[in-house]
């Protein structure tokens, strides 16, 4: 296929896409862009090398060496930088609001998505469990429909969402059928079911979430622990959850939750078995759920997280977690290769939430792109126990593009000098 034929095909595709859904925010049309000479890492397409990326009409036109930009395209020089698909944060808390004592559901313990996303290379954030079937409409109106970030959701199995205290202990408000109904009303936006914080001895929250997940054809994410008496992690991973379901807070060691690495520093055999049967392990760093004592031996043994999410909220952002790039940098410094770190928050995260349209730079895909710098130097990284790991590399976001629009530009890579006309 020659260049002009490809372009005509893309224009037809763009026209069809335009008819399918008009943007909510009226904006100037995105400029045509050439991102030149960056090291492109697009794991889903098996691309890992210095190349150019051409973006036309808000979509990827082509990725390859020495491309000719369309007339009038703006050129972004990405020499010495990495060009990756827009990052997906699969575990965040963005149901921001003003309700008092509401924990992570319409509260100021959750955060506004656009305040955190683009500056860290993220174009998609997944709120996990802030809303349940009762208050999803409020979350959608208040956050999802207003954010420039693509905000998706795991519905809490609790109808009222993650409001803390007794609200999250109410078995009578955990309805699989109504939860699945809400999922089916918002396909592709509600992308999973969340179970969290239940402290009773019953398995009901998990079994109902799995029933809702089966009914709505979405995965279940479990924040496990704190049960009195404790429930078996082995039973959760090998019996209750289905392949494709997710354990979050993988590297936590908290009261009431058996850690994945045992006292001798070995990953428990049933955890390895769970991975083989398709259980997804999500980092879910957060404010209390990531210890180097767990992560370092696990990563050394090759037990890397499938997805490196933040568990972003007002607490974790100002402690050891900070942001998704700091969290990814920890794994980079523990020995996980950049390509794999990138894969986790692009191709893998997209596959887990069943949004195969996201997380890659295929021709025709919406142009969500992050341009990252790997800084070299001496850096310290803090875990949720206050322990520090020293490292020599750290990811920083130079530029973020969402749907072809430059939404973050740290050093003016996409801008002309002020002295130029
Ligand atoms: Zn969380």
């Amino acid at each position: 296929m020659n260049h002009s034929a490809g372009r005509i095909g893309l224009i037809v595709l763009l026209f069809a896409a335009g008819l399918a859904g008009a943007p909510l925010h009226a904006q100037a049309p995105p400029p045509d862009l050439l991102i030149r000479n960056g090291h492109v890492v697009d794991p889903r397409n098996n691309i890992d090398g210095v190349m150019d990326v051409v973006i036309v009409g808000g979509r990827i036109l082509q990725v390859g060496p020495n491309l000719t930009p369309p007339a009038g395209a703006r050129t972004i020089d990405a020499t010495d930088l990495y060009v990756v698909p827009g990052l997906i944060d699969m575990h965040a808390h963005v149901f921001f609001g003003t309700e008092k004592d509401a924990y992570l559901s319409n509260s100021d313990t959750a955060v506004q998505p656009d305040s955190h996303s683009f500056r860290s290379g993220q174009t998609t954030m997944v709120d996990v469990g802030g809303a349940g079937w009762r208050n999803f409409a409020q979350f959608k109106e208040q956050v999802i429909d207003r954010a420039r970030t693509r905000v998706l959701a795991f519905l809490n199995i609790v109808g009222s969402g993650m409001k803390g205290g007794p609200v999250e202990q109410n078995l009578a408000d955990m309805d699989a059928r109504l939860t699945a109904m809400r999922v089916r009303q918002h396909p592709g936006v509600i992308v999973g079911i969340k179970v969290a914080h239940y402290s009773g001895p019953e398995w009901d929250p998990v079994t109902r979430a799995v029933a809702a997940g089966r009914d709505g054809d979405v995965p279940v994410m479990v924040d496990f622990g704190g049960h009195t008496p404790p429930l078996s992690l082995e039973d959760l991973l090998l019996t209750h959850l289905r392949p494709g379901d997710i354990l979050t807070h993988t590297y936590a060691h908290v009261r009431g939750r058996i850690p994945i690495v045992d006292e001798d520093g070995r990953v428990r055999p049933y955890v390895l078995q769970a991975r083989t049967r398709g259980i997804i392990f999500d980092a879910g760093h957060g404010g209390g759920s990531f210890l180097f004592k767990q992560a370092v031996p696990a990563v050394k043994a090759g037990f890397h997280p499938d997805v490196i999410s933040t568990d972003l909220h007002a607490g974790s952002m100002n402690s050891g977690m900070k942001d998704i790039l700091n969290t990814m940098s920890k794994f980079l410094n523990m020995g996980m290769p950049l390509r794999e770190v990138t894969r986790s928050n692009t191709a893998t995260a997209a596959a887990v939430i069943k949004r195969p349209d996201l997380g890659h730079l295929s021709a025709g895909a919406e142009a969500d792109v992050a341009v990252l710098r790997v800084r070299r130097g001496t850096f310290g990284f803090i875990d949720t126990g206050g322990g520090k790991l020293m490292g020599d590399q750290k990811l920083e976001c130079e530029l973020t593009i969402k749907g072809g629009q430059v939404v973050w530009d740290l050093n003016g890579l996409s801008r002309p000098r002020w002295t130029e006309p």
Side-chain angles (χ1 to χ4, degrees):
M1 186 170 73
N2 67 35
H3 185 87
S4 59
R7 177 147 193 199
I8 290 165
L10 184 76
I11 289 167
V12 171
L13 189 147
L14 296 178
F15 185 65
L19 291 178
L24 186 70
H25 303 286
Q27 265 179 357
D32 293 349
L33 298 171
L34 167 70
I35 306 173
R36 206 183 65 78
N37 206 37
H39 186 132
V40 179
V41 181
D42 177 6
R44 191 175 114 180
N45 289 312
N46 220 15
I47 294 173
D48 187 355
V50 173
M51 291 188 196
D52 297 343
V53 178
V54 175
I55 296 170
V56 170
R59 289 185 180 261
I60 304 292
L61 179 71
Q62 207 176 357
V63 177
N66 305 313
L67 300 180
T68 308
R74 202 189 285 174
T75 297
I76 295 167
D77 184 356
T79 303
D80 296 332
L81 301 173
Y82 288 90
V83 179
V84 305
L87 301 176
I88 299 167
D89 188 353
M90 199 179 74
H91 182 157
H93 293 284
V94 295
F95 189 175
F96 179 78
T98 57
E99 193 177 319
K100 287 220 187 307
D101 301 322
Y103 193 33
L104 290 166
S105 181
N106 189 32
S107 74
D108 58 7
T109 318
V111 300
Q112 290 173 307
D114 294 354
S115 311
H116 295 262
S117 53
F118 302 141
R119 60 184 46 239
S120 303
Q122 298 167 95
T123 48
T124 302
M125 294 174 112
V126 186
D127 180 275
V128 291
W133 71 266
R134 292 179 194 276
N135 56 354
F136 178 76
Q138 181 190 15
F139 177 45
K140 183 169 183 298
E141 195 282 326
Q142 198 164 296
V143 176
I144 294 176
D145 293 348
R146 297 180 193 210
R148 291 187 72 191
T149 311
R150 180 184 300 99
V151 176
L152 308 176
F154 276 52
L155 269 197
N156 205 308
I157 189 62
V158 180
S160 302
M162 199 174 281
K163 290 199 185 289
V167 176
E168 290 186 78
Q169 305 304 318
N170 184 5
L171 279 176
D173 195 27
M174 300 183 197
D175 190 312
R177 191 174 68 89
L178 302 185
T179 302
M181 282 177 76
R182 193 64 90 217
V183 172
R184 286 195 302 270
Q185 283 179 328
H186 302 277
V189 177
I190 300 177
V191 293
I193 314 287
K194 179 80 186 284
V195 180
H197 308 151
Y198 184 71
S199 61
E202 305 90 346
W203 281 100
D204 297 58
V206 172
T207 54
R208 291 182 204 178
V210 169
R214 191 170 284 127
D215 194 350
D217 191 25
V218 291
V220 169
M221 177 188 281
V222 180
D223 168 352
F224 201 55
H227 297 273
T228 313
L231 295 178
S232 159
L233 182 65
E234 182 172 3
D235 287 351
L236 176 77
L237 297 176
L238 298 186
T239 309
H240 288 279
L241 295 184
R242 306 162 297 166
D245 288 338
I246 306 146
L247 179 76
T248 190
H249 306 317
T250 293
Y251 305 99
H253 188 178
V254 293
R255 187 193 298 268
R257 153 72 204 280
I258 297 160
I260 63 153
V261 171
D262 68 16
E263 300 74 23
D264 300 324
R266 284 192 292 254
V267 179
R268 296 179 196 280
Y270 63 77
V271 172
L272 301 174
Q273 206 183 327
R275 166 158 284 173
T276 308
R277 74 177 281 259
I279 299 298
I280 305 297
F281 290 87
D282 170 41
H285 188 303
S289 305
F290 177 87
L291 292 180
F292 287 123
K293 273 183 190 158
Q294 287 286 309
V296 169
V299 169
K300 197 170 280 179
F303 193 82
H304 299 171
D306 293 294
V307 178
I308 305 175
S309 68
T310 60
D311 189 11
L312 174 73
H313 52 70
S316 61
M317 62 180 259
N318 288 322
S319 56
M321 191 284 289
K322 296 180 175 64
D323 60 29
I324 198 164
L325 294 178
N326 193 60
T327 307
M328 290 163 72
S329 299
K330 290 178 181 180
F331 286 94
L332 209 52
N333 284 288
M334 282 187 272
M336 193 169 161
L338 179 67
R339 181 189 173 122
E340 229 192 298
V341 168
T342 303
R343 179 195 299 277
S344 71
N345 288 342
T346 57
T348 303
V352 171
I353 61 174
K354 301 186 182 183
R355 284 290 306 258
D357 55 317
L358 303 177
H360 55 84
L361 303 175
S362 309
E366 191 168 346
D368 287 7
V369 182
V371 180
L372 307 177
R373 182 184 298 281
V374 179
R375 290 181 57 202
R376 303 281 171 175
T378 304
F379 306 103
F381 300 94
I382 309 167
D383 71 10
T384 58
K388 180 165 69 176
L389 174 89
M390 296 308 295
D392 59 7
Q393 40 189 333
K394 189 172 199 172
L395 293 165
E396 187 171 80
C397 182
E398 282 285 347
L399 187 96
T400 305
I401 296 168
K402 164 95 193 308
Q405 299 279 4
V406 175
V407 288
W408 171 257
D409 189 351
L410 185 63
N411 286 297
L413 275 182
S414 72
R415 308 308 308 175
R417 299 282 179 108
W418 68 273
T419 49
E420 290 174 22

